[in-house]
Amino acid sequence: MSSLDLSPDEFRRWGQTAIDSIAEYLAAVAERPLYPRTSSKEIRQQLGRELGKEGASFSELLETFNEVIVPLTRKNGHPRMFGYVQSPGAPLGVLADLLASGINANLTAWRSAPSPIDLERLTIDWLKQILGVDPGAAGLFVSGGSMANLSGLAVARVAKAGPDLKTRGTQSHPRALTLYASVEAHHSIAKAASLLGIGSDNVRQIPVDQNFKMNIDRLRDSIARDVADGHQPFCVVASAGTVATGAIDPLGEIAHVAREFGLWMHVDACYGGFARMAPSVSRLFTGLAEADSIALDPHKWLYAPMDCGCILYRNPVAARQTFAHDAEYTRVIAQEADEAFAFWDYGPELSRRFRALKVWMILKGAGTAVLSEAIEGNIACARYLEELVKASDDFEMLAPVELSIFCFRYLPRTLREKDRRGDSAIGEELNQVNERLLVALQRDGSSYLSNALIDNQFALRGCVLNYRTTTQDMEILLQDLRRVAATLE
Ligand SMILES: Cc1ncc(COP(=O)(O)O)c(C=O)c1O
């Protein structure tokens, strides 16, 4: 390759081979080992270290993709990829990303990308409908859930501590700002608090009940204590689907407390939000519409490829008060309101890629009925696994299944017998056995789980987030665990 540009013919030809390799990858994703047996040393050797003065051919570049990158990475589209909160990356979204890069739209303001900006506003309106929030709400796509949480808390801070904070900084504020989230909240909340100068020590970790949902009495006590101590409680964060167990906090009750104490209510719905489309759990989202801000992640349960998070604000004016900054190069000259619109007034970024295209294509291309069925199907898989575990004597559940996350552990026969004889406390041994089992399962490559700590017990944790996953995969998961466990005994 000797130039940066490609002729239309070259683009077509090379593009077709690139698309062919993605198609082959997708067609075989369920058959490939889910996790590679490799090392960083091997990968670095295979990548080669030379930056050449002369360009390499496209077939050489694609060969590296096909022969090194694809085999030596985790297969996130595999139906038994249950680790973390991982979307498979729906093919429609893959094509949308290609098209978006093709026109290289930059969604700063309407004048820079008129049709992409209107498509993003339309798509955000659809997400609002899906979540049942106020039609007057507004929002934008960001890189992911961590950025969405950061944006929501940034707005909460200015809205509750006053506009001086923007110019004079948190250190000029007379009282410590305090924020409330359950002990189960995602770590991006504490991270946002430290980045925003609130301090992670000022995030009060509210205990949860036996279903891992925020304890409302303890929330109220904690806020009242801070008020008495002269602090300024400003925000409560509710989780709509915690990362460890999938619990949805009591949103309506939290909204009530937020109103009572004049706090901003932010909901981290990054994992669970789109499950509002699933009829069997939609009632759990009552109260969501009362939130002042909601963080979402289309690159989780809308099955979009990385990356795409989203933040919604009930009152967009509050977001402008936080993010709008004047500069000559961003001044919008002589335009009507719709055309004068700029996303930089509502979020932390200026240049932004065209993330809306993949969300729009997935929503419009698949339709809400298919999406709702897929999400409901994922929840059904998690419930089925729970049934299988409860009916077995070599596994036990460690938390109830609320959405599509399941937490359980393996009980080897020797430890069961020890426990029955009352020989000794087996808790620590069980933790060790399950930790070893998890690592061995991940290396085995047929199923992939991650871990969680549930009441100090090491849990095998899975999250069903792939429309390709079936109840048979849940059976295979338990078979894989038994097979791998036998090799460790
Ligand atoms: C509940 C919750 N919030 C926030 C995040 C952070 O999202 P992201 O990884 O997109 O930054 C996650 C990620 O798993 C999550 O589960």
Side-chain angles (χ1 to χ4, degrees), residues 7 13 119 134 169 257 274 278 280 298 338 402 419 436 458 475:
S7 72
R13 229 178 30 251
L119 190 89
D134 189 338
V257 174
F274 297 114
S280 73
D338 271 350
E402 176 120 297
D419 191 37
R436 274 193 290 131
F458 184 91
E475 293 168 8

Side-chain angles (χ1 to χ4, degrees), residues 66-140:
N66 287 332
E67 306 301 326
V68 184
I69 304 297
V70 172
L72 300 185
T73 190
R74 198 179 64 200
K75 307 296 171 294
N76 290 336
H78 193 290
R80 289 190 298 286
M81 168 54 204
F82 297 121
Y84 317 103
V85 188
Q86 182 62 60
S87 135
L92 261 181
V94 176
L95 292 175
D97 266 349
L98 177 66
L99 296 170
S101 292
I103 60 167
N104 193 27
N106 187 354
L107 281 74
T108 52
W110 190 89
R111 68 173 178 205
S112 297
S115 52
I117 292 274
D118 273 319
L119 190 89
E120 178 157 344
R121 290 194 286 194
L122 170 68
T123 311
I124 292 283
D125 279 346
W126 288 351
L127 296 188
K128 282 156 42 187
Q129 276 173 39
I130 286 172
L131 294 169
V133 302
D134 189 338
L140 72 166

Side-chain angles (χ1 to χ4, degrees), residues 291-306:
D292 295 293
S293 52
I294 303 173
L296 296 163
D297 243 350
H299 72 200
K300 292 188 167 56
W301 225 346
L302 265 190
Y303 309 111
M306 312 295 296

Side-chain angles (χ1 to χ4, degrees), residues 85 144-146 149 186 188 241 243 268 270-271 297 299-300:
V85 188
S146 302
N149 280 330
H186 191 263
S188 55
V243 66
D268 177 352
C270 289
Y271 157 55
D297 243 350
H299 72 200
K300 292 188 167 56

